[in-house]
Amino acid sequence: MSRWSGGIAAGSAIAGAGSTNRHSVPRRRRTSFPIDRYSTAAALGFDRPAANSLDAVSDRDFAIEFLGAAAIAGMHLSRFAEEIVIWSSNEFGFIALSDAFTTGSSISRRNATRMQPSSSAPRRAD
């Protein structure tokens, strides 16, 4: 079924939403196999077959809403983290964070250790 015909089927299902007659929406065979939609729906544990294909497979609004809310929450948390960094900088100094909340990366600690002169380093002859 093309998107256009699916949209038309969805519109006709919405227009006849109050009707409970199962024959109010014309049944069209979508496959060459002899499938009875009502017995298949009953065998799968559904009350009845879906009125249109878009309702049956396109209800992904919950995923879009969750991803949108997660993106917005991530943006707010990122902005708040940036503000904490700016507020605790030397230029502003509005807040001071404890060392328990702030750490450097392990890579910067290794580089800092490597750059310090050690007593085991070979000395230069004068």
Side-chain angles (χ1 to χ4, degrees), residues 12-70:
S12 66
I14 290 169
S19 173
T20 57
N21 184 359
R22 74 179 211 186
H23 299 293
S24 62
V25 177
R27 276 178 59 186
R28 292 185 202 114
R29 187 172 285 191
R30 304 275 184 236
T31 179
S32 60
F33 297 110
I35 295 175
D36 182 15
R37 295 176 61 225
Y38 293 93
S39 63
T40 304
L44 293 173
F46 296 111
D47 295 334
R48 62 186 181 283
N52 67 58
S53 60
L54 292 178
D55 282 342
V57 298
S58 298
D59 191 19
R60 296 183 184 100
D61 292 343
F62 69 94
I64 293 170
E65 289 175 8
F66 171 76
L67 291 174

Side-chain angles (χ1 to χ4, degrees), residues 82-105:
E82 287 179 23
E83 288 177 353
I84 288 176
V85 169
I86 290 173
W87 293 341
S88 64
S89 68
N90 289 334
E91 291 84 14
F92 291 93
F94 294 147
I95 61 173
L97 298 175
S98 167
D99 287 340
F101 295 108
T102 59
T103 61
S105 70

